[in-house]
Amino acid sequence: MQLKDKVGRFAATGRSCQNWKKDQELVIALLNKISISDGGAENMLKPQLVVTGHASDSLYSSILYFQKKNFPGTPDGYIRPAGPTFKRLVELSTKAAAKPAPQKGQWDAVATPSVNAALGKGIADDSKLDYAEVVDIIRATVTDGMVTAFELDDLLTIANTSRTLSPTSKKLINLFVGDEKKKWLGIGPYDLNSDHKKLAAEMVCDFLKNTRTTFFPKLDPHRVGIGILRRIAKPSLIDQDKGSLCGPSALMFSYASDKPGHYARFAIDLYQKGHANLGRLLIKPGKDVRNYTPPWSLDHVDWLTCASIRDSENWFLDFDDTGKISDLAGVTLPSEMEQWFRKAGYRDVRENTNISRFNKGIDDVNEANTLLDRGYRVCLFISANMTDYDDQSDKGSAFTMHWVVLREKIQVVNGYVKAKVFSWGNGDYEIPHPNKAGAIKSLATKDFLMNFYGYVAAKA
């Protein structure tokens, strides 16, 4: 048994390794032979369509889990040919996989140590799970920094087999696990592998135990809490939906990425007190925002944070309805974006934009790339036309101005442009963007620049 090349993802960057199909199939087979107590999958790694060049979330989380169990230190997320992780895989796979114990009760299918220990503690007093004990089971899955697919499966087992679980507790578990049918709303595994993220997650679990106090009566506290938890793990889930909230969304994506604990505290204070500080920026939304029911497709926590920022900063226009896509109350000007970052605690904030008919040039693109290389958050001010297959060559209007966060350097090659940004709940949104059929139309540099109005950059 041997691998041709690396399998998994580089944990430091999230990028996939070579991941040859047969290599992935070998690693999956070995993991499935190894017991969970030894860090393996024990036949729980679900059959899937293996794609060369890409390690699935379930395979990646399984590799991380195996490495955490078998090697001290921070896991690197990938397996080298003849490397220590691969040798340990082969060694343990030669042992017979642990046989399941005879069924003794409804919880026997729960196998992961974290969920099993928290479950045992919860039912020790009365053989039942109350709501607070369910929160503590969720808390147990995040304490080691990675909520694996196996832990999520065990949580679903609890929700589906418990005879005494309340509807609220079941809802909480299902919200945390995520919706397979609506993956854009968020689904695990969840990466909380930093001290800041772990502390933020603890803060959210404490909030979920006390959700009675609120100044936003139309928002579901469980959706708010789980929404915060997901965004700590994956900030790119932040999504303005149909509301003109791209500016606050770009700010919140940056804030949740750079300061997860501050982001969690900000959202919780808003919900419980009706106002909150974003650094030196006091956010105090009006009653229309606080009493609005968001549409089903807009996550409650994104309305709570993004609409509150936008409304709090408006002097004479109410913003309280995501149906008003072109509502001037939702437009974020570059000067506002600059001030938001500055007051939110960012350093060396730079504003280089032009909202007149004169667009920016290639030198400004190069400056944005340089700042990204130097560790700045770079928010591009563009026309949304360039993100649409049919309109990318059309000059945008004031009502199509849009904020996105640059994720990789803008590529300008042979007269064409490619970029990867955060926008609309997607941290890897591609420009040019394919249409619904998957077709991609090249974006000429002149068409990109026609709809590029500069950037605001800041360092955390």
Side-chain angles (χ1 to χ4, degrees), residues 38-87:
D38 285 332
E42 198 172 330
N43 294 316
M44 293 177 66
L45 200 53
K46 294 180 173 60
Q48 57 191 294
L49 179 63
V50 176
V51 178
T52 293
H54 175 72
S56 67
D57 288 343
S58 56
L59 176 56
Y60 175 54
S61 63
S62 296
I63 293 171
L64 288 173
Y65 181 68
F66 181 81
Q67 290 179 327
K68 285 184 178 182
K69 275 284 185 179
N70 289 276
F71 302 96
T74 303
D76 55 28
Y78 63 94
I79 301 173
R80 302 183 188 90
T85 302
F86 183 74
K87 289 179 180 177

Short mmCIF file of all heavy atoms in Angstrom, two decimals, residues 38-87:
data_model
loop_
_atom_site.label_atom_id
_atom_site.label_comp_id
_atom_site.label_asym_id
_atom_site.label_seq_id
_atom_site.Cartn_x
_atom_site.Cartn_y
_atom_site.Cartn_z
N ASP A 38 -9.41 5.09 18.21
CA ASP A 38 -8.04 5.25 17.71
C ASP A 38 -7.93 6.40 16.70
O ASP A 38 -6.87 6.58 16.08
CB ASP A 38 -7.55 3.96 17.06
CG ASP A 38 -7.21 2.89 18.09
OD1 ASP A 38 -6.84 3.26 19.21
OD2 ASP A 38 -7.34 1.69 17.77
N GLY A 39 -9.01 7.14 16.51
CA GLY A 39 -8.97 8.28 15.59
C GLY A 39 -9.49 7.98 14.20
O GLY A 39 -9.43 8.85 13.32
N GLY A 40 -9.99 6.75 13.97
CA GLY A 40 -10.47 6.38 12.65
C GLY A 40 -11.93 6.70 12.43
O GLY A 40 -12.57 7.39 13.22
N ALA A 41 -12.47 6.17 11.33
CA ALA A 41 -13.86 6.44 10.97
C ALA A 41 -14.78 5.27 11.29
O ALA A 41 -15.99 5.43 11.35
CB ALA A 41 -13.95 6.77 9.47
N GLU A 42 -14.20 4.07 11.45
CA GLU A 42 -14.95 2.88 11.83
C GLU A 42 -16.21 2.70 10.97
O GLU A 42 -17.32 2.57 11.45
CB GLU A 42 -15.32 2.93 13.31
CG GLU A 42 -15.71 1.58 13.89
CD GLU A 42 -15.89 1.63 15.42
OE1 GLU A 42 -15.21 2.44 16.06
OE2 GLU A 42 -16.69 0.85 15.92
N ASN A 43 -15.99 2.75 9.65
CA ASN A 43 -17.06 2.56 8.66
C ASN A 43 -18.11 3.67 8.67
O ASN A 43 -19.18 3.52 8.10
CB ASN A 43 -17.75 1.20 8.85
CG ASN A 43 -16.83 0.05 8.55
OD1 ASN A 43 -16.10 0.07 7.56
ND2 ASN A 43 -16.81 -0.96 9.42
N MET A 44 -17.79 4.79 9.32
CA MET A 44 -18.73 5.91 9.34
C MET A 44 -18.46 6.93 8.24
O MET A 44 -19.24 7.84 8.04
CB MET A 44 -18.69 6.61 10.71
CG MET A 44 -19.22 5.75 11.84
SD MET A 44 -19.08 6.59 13.44
CE MET A 44 -20.22 7.95 13.20
N LEU A 45 -17.31 6.80 7.57
CA LEU A 45 -17.01 7.70 6.46
C LEU A 45 -17.90 7.30 5.30
O LEU A 45 -17.71 6.26 4.69
CB LEU A 45 -15.53 7.60 6.08
CG LEU A 45 -14.91 8.75 5.29
CD1 LEU A 45 -15.15 10.08 5.98
CD2 LEU A 45 -13.43 8.52 5.11
N LYS A 46 -18.89 8.14 5.04
CA LYS A 46 -19.94 7.76 4.11
C LYS A 46 -19.41 7.63 2.68
O LYS A 46 -18.55 8.38 2.25
CB LYS A 46 -21.07 8.80 4.14
CG LYS A 46 -21.80 8.82 5.47
CD LYS A 46 -22.90 9.87 5.43
CE LYS A 46 -23.75 9.79 6.67
NZ LYS A 46 -22.98 10.02 7.89
N PRO A 47 -19.94 6.65 1.91
CA PRO A 47 -19.58 6.53 0.49
C PRO A 47 -19.87 7.83 -0.25
O PRO A 47 -20.86 8.48 0.01
CB PRO A 47 -20.49 5.39 0.00
CG PRO A 47 -20.84 4.63 1.23
CD PRO A 47 -20.93 5.64 2.33
N GLN A 48 -19.00 8.21 -1.13
CA GLN A 48 -19.17 9.47 -1.84
C GLN A 48 -18.47 9.39 -3.19
O GLN A 48 -17.68 8.49 -3.44
CB GLN A 48 -18.57 10.61 -1.02
CG GLN A 48 -17.10 10.38 -0.70
CD GLN A 48 -16.58 11.37 0.32
OE1 GLN A 48 -16.52 12.55 0.03
NE2 GLN A 48 -16.20 10.89 1.49
N LEU A 49 -18.79 10.34 -4.03
CA LEU A 49 -18.13 10.44 -5.33
C LEU A 49 -16.80 11.15 -5.12
O LEU A 49 -16.74 12.34 -4.83
CB LEU A 49 -19.00 11.23 -6.31
CG LEU A 49 -18.43 11.43 -7.71
CD1 LEU A 49 -18.26 10.08 -8.40
CD2 LEU A 49 -19.32 12.35 -8.53
N VAL A 50 -15.71 10.40 -5.24
CA VAL A 50 -14.38 10.97 -5.02
C VAL A 50 -13.96 11.72 -6.28
O VAL A 50 -14.04 11.19 -7.39
CB VAL A 50 -13.36 9.85 -4.69
CG1 VAL A 50 -11.96 10.44 -4.57
CG2 VAL A 50 -13.76 9.15 -3.39
N VAL A 51 -13.51 12.94 -6.09
CA VAL A 51 -13.12 13.79 -7.22
C VAL A 51 -11.63 14.09 -7.12
O VAL A 51 -11.16 14.58 -6.10
CB VAL A 51 -13.92 15.11 -7.23
CG1 VAL A 51 -13.46 16.00 -8.38
CG2 VAL A 51 -15.42 14.83 -7.30
N THR A 52 -10.89 13.77 -8.16
CA THR A 52 -9.46 14.06 -8.18
C THR A 52 -9.23 15.55 -7.99
O THR A 52 -9.89 16.38 -8.61
CB THR A 52 -8.83 13.60 -9.51
OG1 THR A 52 -8.88 12.17 -9.57
CG2 THR A 52 -7.39 14.06 -9.61
N GLY A 53 -8.30 15.89 -7.10
CA GLY A 53 -7.94 17.28 -6.88
C GLY A 53 -8.67 17.95 -5.74
O GLY A 53 -8.34 19.08 -5.37
N HIS A 54 -9.67 17.28 -5.15
CA HIS A 54 -10.44 17.92 -4.08
C HIS A 54 -10.76 16.92 -2.98
O HIS A 54 -11.33 15.85 -3.25
CB HIS A 54 -11.75 18.49 -4.62
CG HIS A 54 -12.65 19.04 -3.55
ND1 HIS A 54 -12.37 20.21 -2.90
CD2 HIS A 54 -13.81 18.56 -3.03
CE1 HIS A 54 -13.32 20.44 -2.01
NE2 HIS A 54 -14.20 19.46 -2.06
N ALA A 55 -10.37 17.24 -1.74
CA ALA A 55 -10.73 16.43 -0.58
C ALA A 55 -12.04 16.95 0.00
O ALA A 55 -12.16 18.15 0.29
CB ALA A 55 -9.62 16.48 0.47
N SER A 56 -13.03 16.09 0.15
CA SER A 56 -14.32 16.50 0.67
C SER A 56 -14.20 16.95 2.13
O SER A 56 -13.20 16.65 2.81
CB SER A 56 -15.32 15.35 0.59
OG SER A 56 -14.92 14.31 1.47
N ASP A 57 -15.21 17.66 2.62
CA ASP A 57 -15.21 18.11 4.01
C ASP A 57 -15.11 16.93 4.97
O ASP A 57 -14.40 16.98 5.97
CB ASP A 57 -16.49 18.91 4.31
CG ASP A 57 -16.50 20.27 3.66
OD1 ASP A 57 -15.42 20.74 3.26
OD2 ASP A 57 -17.58 20.88 3.55
N SER A 58 -15.85 15.84 4.66
CA SER A 58 -15.86 14.69 5.57
C SER A 58 -14.49 14.01 5.62
O SER A 58 -14.02 13.62 6.68
CB SER A 58 -16.95 13.70 5.17
OG SER A 58 -16.79 13.28 3.83
N LEU A 59 -13.82 13.88 4.47
CA LEU A 59 -12.49 13.27 4.46
C LEU A 59 -11.49 14.17 5.17
O LEU A 59 -10.68 13.70 5.99
CB LEU A 59 -12.05 13.02 3.02
CG LEU A 59 -10.62 12.45 2.84
CD1 LEU A 59 -10.43 11.17 3.64
CD2 LEU A 59 -10.31 12.22 1.37
N TYR A 60 -11.55 15.46 4.91
CA TYR A 60 -10.63 16.40 5.54
C TYR A 60 -10.79 16.39 7.06
O TYR A 60 -9.81 16.31 7.81
CB TYR A 60 -10.87 17.80 4.99
CG TYR A 60 -10.07 18.90 5.65
CD1 TYR A 60 -8.69 18.83 5.74
CD2 TYR A 60 -10.71 20.02 6.18
CE1 TYR A 60 -7.95 19.85 6.34
CE2 TYR A 60 -9.98 21.04 6.78
CZ TYR A 60 -8.61 20.95 6.86
OH TYR A 60 -7.89 21.96 7.46
N SER A 61 -12.05 16.46 7.54
CA SER A 61 -12.27 16.46 8.99
C SER A 61 -11.84 15.13 9.61
O SER A 61 -11.36 15.09 10.75
CB SER A 61 -13.74 16.75 9.30
OG SER A 61 -14.58 15.74 8.78
N SER A 62 -11.97 14.02 8.87
CA SER A 62 -11.53 12.71 9.37
C SER A 62 -10.01 12.67 9.52
O SER A 62 -9.48 12.10 10.48
CB SER A 62 -11.99 11.60 8.41
OG SER A 62 -13.39 11.53 8.36
N ILE A 63 -9.29 13.25 8.56
CA ILE A 63 -7.83 13.31 8.65
C ILE A 63 -7.39 14.14 9.86
O ILE A 63 -6.51 13.76 10.62
CB ILE A 63 -7.22 13.87 7.34
CG1 ILE A 63 -7.46 12.88 6.18
CG2 ILE A 63 -5.73 14.15 7.50
CD1 ILE A 63 -7.10 13.44 4.83
N LEU A 64 -8.05 15.31 10.05
CA LEU A 64 -7.73 16.14 11.20
C LEU A 64 -7.99 15.40 12.51
O LEU A 64 -7.18 15.45 13.45
CB LEU A 64 -8.56 17.43 11.16
CG LEU A 64 -8.20 18.47 10.10
CD1 LEU A 64 -9.23 19.59 10.10
CD2 LEU A 64 -6.81 19.04 10.35
N TYR A 65 -9.12 14.70 12.57
CA TYR A 65 -9.48 13.95 13.78
C TYR A 65 -8.44 12.86 14.06
O TYR A 65 -8.00 12.66 15.20
CB TYR A 65 -10.88 13.35 13.61
CG TYR A 65 -11.38 12.58 14.81
CD1 TYR A 65 -11.68 13.24 15.99
CD2 TYR A 65 -11.57 11.21 14.75
CE1 TYR A 65 -12.16 12.54 17.09
CE2 TYR A 65 -12.04 10.50 15.84
CZ TYR A 65 -12.33 11.17 17.01
OH TYR A 65 -12.80 10.47 18.10
N PHE A 66 -8.03 12.14 13.01
CA PHE A 66 -7.03 11.08 13.16
C PHE A 66 -5.71 11.65 13.66
O PHE A 66 -5.07 11.09 14.57
CB PHE A 66 -6.82 10.36 11.83
CG PHE A 66 -5.82 9.23 11.90
CD1 PHE A 66 -6.19 7.99 12.37
CD2 PHE A 66 -4.50 9.43 11.50
CE1 PHE A 66 -5.27 6.95 12.45
CE2 PHE A 66 -3.58 8.40 11.58
CZ PHE A 66 -3.96 7.16 12.05
N GLN A 67 -5.29 12.78 13.09
CA GLN A 67 -4.01 13.37 13.48
C GLN A 67 -4.05 13.89 14.92
O GLN A 67 -3.09 13.76 15.67
CB GLN A 67 -3.63 14.49 12.52
CG GLN A 67 -3.25 13.98 11.14
CD GLN A 67 -2.90 15.10 10.18
OE1 GLN A 67 -3.45 16.20 10.26
NE2 GLN A 67 -1.98 14.82 9.26
N LYS A 68 -5.19 14.46 15.33
CA LYS A 68 -5.30 14.94 16.70
C LYS A 68 -5.23 13.80 17.70
O LYS A 68 -4.69 13.95 18.80
CB LYS A 68 -6.62 15.70 16.88
CG LYS A 68 -6.64 17.09 16.26
CD LYS A 68 -7.94 17.81 16.57
CE LYS A 68 -7.93 19.21 16.00
NZ LYS A 68 -9.16 19.95 16.31
N LYS A 69 -5.78 12.65 17.32
CA LYS A 69 -5.79 11.50 18.21
C LYS A 69 -4.41 10.84 18.32
O LYS A 69 -4.07 10.27 19.35
CB LYS A 69 -6.80 10.46 17.70
CG LYS A 69 -8.22 10.69 18.15
CD LYS A 69 -8.37 10.28 19.61
CE LYS A 69 -9.79 10.36 20.08
NZ LYS A 69 -9.92 9.94 21.49
N ASN A 70 -3.64 10.91 17.25
CA ASN A 70 -2.42 10.12 17.18
C ASN A 70 -1.11 10.90 17.26
O ASN A 70 -0.06 10.31 17.47
CB ASN A 70 -2.42 9.28 15.90
CG ASN A 70 -3.42 8.15 15.95
OD1 ASN A 70 -3.13 7.08 16.50
ND2 ASN A 70 -4.61 8.37 15.41
N PHE A 71 -1.19 12.22 17.10
CA PHE A 71 0.03 13.02 17.11
C PHE A 71 -0.17 14.29 17.93
O PHE A 71 -1.20 14.95 17.78
CB PHE A 71 0.46 13.39 15.68
CG PHE A 71 0.69 12.21 14.79
CD1 PHE A 71 -0.32 11.76 13.93
CD2 PHE A 71 1.89 11.53 14.82
CE1 PHE A 71 -0.12 10.67 13.11
CE2 PHE A 71 2.10 10.43 13.99
CZ PHE A 71 1.10 9.99 13.14
N PRO A 72 0.79 14.66 18.76
CA PRO A 72 0.66 15.91 19.53
C PRO A 72 0.85 17.12 18.62
O PRO A 72 1.40 17.02 17.53
CB PRO A 72 1.80 15.80 20.55
CG PRO A 72 2.82 14.93 19.89
CD PRO A 72 2.03 13.94 19.06
N GLY A 73 0.37 18.26 19.08
CA GLY A 73 0.53 19.48 18.31
C GLY A 73 -0.63 19.76 17.39
O GLY A 73 -1.67 19.12 17.44
N THR A 74 -0.44 20.72 16.49
CA THR A 74 -1.49 21.14 15.58
C THR A 74 -1.48 20.27 14.32
O THR A 74 -0.45 20.14 13.66
CB THR A 74 -1.28 22.61 15.17
OG1 THR A 74 -1.24 23.41 16.34
CG2 THR A 74 -2.42 23.08 14.26
N PRO A 75 -2.60 19.67 13.95
CA PRO A 75 -2.63 18.84 12.74
C PRO A 75 -2.44 19.67 11.49
O PRO A 75 -2.88 20.81 11.41
CB PRO A 75 -4.03 18.22 12.79
CG PRO A 75 -4.85 19.17 13.59
CD PRO A 75 -3.92 19.74 14.61
N ASP A 76 -1.75 19.06 10.49
CA ASP A 76 -1.52 19.81 9.25
C ASP A 76 -2.60 19.55 8.21
O ASP A 76 -2.67 20.23 7.19
CB ASP A 76 -0.14 19.50 8.67
CG ASP A 76 0.11 18.01 8.44
OD1 ASP A 76 -0.86 17.27 8.22
OD2 ASP A 76 1.28 17.60 8.48
N GLY A 77 -3.47 18.52 8.42
CA GLY A 77 -4.62 18.32 7.55
C GLY A 77 -4.41 17.45 6.33
O GLY A 77 -5.36 17.23 5.57
N TYR A 78 -3.19 16.95 6.12
CA TYR A 78 -2.96 16.15 4.92
C TYR A 78 -2.03 14.97 5.24
O TYR A 78 -1.35 14.95 6.26
CB TYR A 78 -2.38 17.00 3.79
CG TYR A 78 -1.02 17.60 4.06
CD1 TYR A 78 0.15 16.96 3.64
CD2 TYR A 78 -0.91 18.82 4.71
CE1 TYR A 78 1.39 17.51 3.88
CE2 TYR A 78 0.34 19.38 4.96
CZ TYR A 78 1.48 18.72 4.54
OH TYR A 78 2.72 19.26 4.77
N ILE A 79 -2.03 13.99 4.33
CA ILE A 79 -1.25 12.76 4.51
C ILE A 79 -0.21 12.66 3.40
O ILE A 79 -0.56 12.68 2.21
CB ILE A 79 -2.18 11.53 4.48
CG1 ILE A 79 -3.23 11.64 5.60
CG2 ILE A 79 -1.38 10.24 4.61
CD1 ILE A 79 -4.29 10.56 5.54
N ARG A 80 1.06 12.54 3.78
CA ARG A 80 2.15 12.42 2.81
C ARG A 80 2.41 10.95 2.49
O ARG A 80 2.25 10.09 3.36
CB ARG A 80 3.44 13.01 3.37
CG ARG A 80 3.41 14.45 3.78
CD ARG A 80 4.81 14.86 4.24
NE ARG A 80 4.82 16.18 4.83
CZ ARG A 80 4.62 16.44 6.12
NH1 ARG A 80 4.37 15.43 6.94
NH2 ARG A 80 4.66 17.66 6.58
N PRO A 81 2.84 10.65 1.28
CA PRO A 81 3.27 9.29 0.98
C PRO A 81 4.42 8.88 1.91
O PRO A 81 5.40 9.61 2.05
CB PRO A 81 3.74 9.37 -0.48
CG PRO A 81 3.03 10.55 -1.04
CD PRO A 81 2.90 11.53 0.08
N ALA A 82 4.26 7.74 2.57
CA ALA A 82 5.28 7.21 3.48
C ALA A 82 5.55 8.12 4.67
O ALA A 82 6.54 7.93 5.39
CB ALA A 82 6.58 6.94 2.73
N GLY A 83 4.68 9.12 4.89
CA GLY A 83 4.85 10.01 6.04
C GLY A 83 4.33 9.37 7.32
O GLY A 83 3.74 8.28 7.30
N PRO A 84 4.53 10.02 8.46
CA PRO A 84 4.13 9.43 9.74
C PRO A 84 2.63 9.16 9.84
O PRO A 84 2.23 8.15 10.43
CB PRO A 84 4.60 10.46 10.77
CG PRO A 84 4.82 11.73 10.00
CD PRO A 84 5.22 11.31 8.63
N THR A 85 1.81 10.06 9.29
CA THR A 85 0.36 9.83 9.35
C THR A 85 -0.04 8.60 8.56
O THR A 85 -0.84 7.77 9.02
CB THR A 85 -0.40 11.06 8.83
OG1 THR A 85 -0.04 12.22 9.59
CG2 THR A 85 -1.92 10.85 8.95
N PHE A 86 0.54 8.45 7.37
CA PHE A 86 0.21 7.29 6.54
C PHE A 86 0.68 6.00 7.21
O PHE A 86 -0.04 5.00 7.24
CB PHE A 86 0.83 7.43 5.15
CG PHE A 86 0.45 6.30 4.23
CD1 PHE A 86 -0.82 6.23 3.69
CD2 PHE A 86 1.37 5.30 3.91
CE1 PHE A 86 -1.17 5.18 2.85
CE2 PHE A 86 1.03 4.26 3.07
CZ PHE A 86 -0.26 4.20 2.53
N LYS A 87 1.89 6.01 7.77
CA LYS A 87 2.41 4.81 8.43
C LYS A 87 1.52 4.41 9.61
O LYS A 87 1.26 3.23 9.84
CB LYS A 87 3.84 5.06 8.91
CG LYS A 87 4.85 5.16 7.78
CD LYS A 87 6.25 5.45 8.31
CE LYS A 87 7.27 5.56 7.17
NZ LYS A 87 8.62 5.90 7.67
#
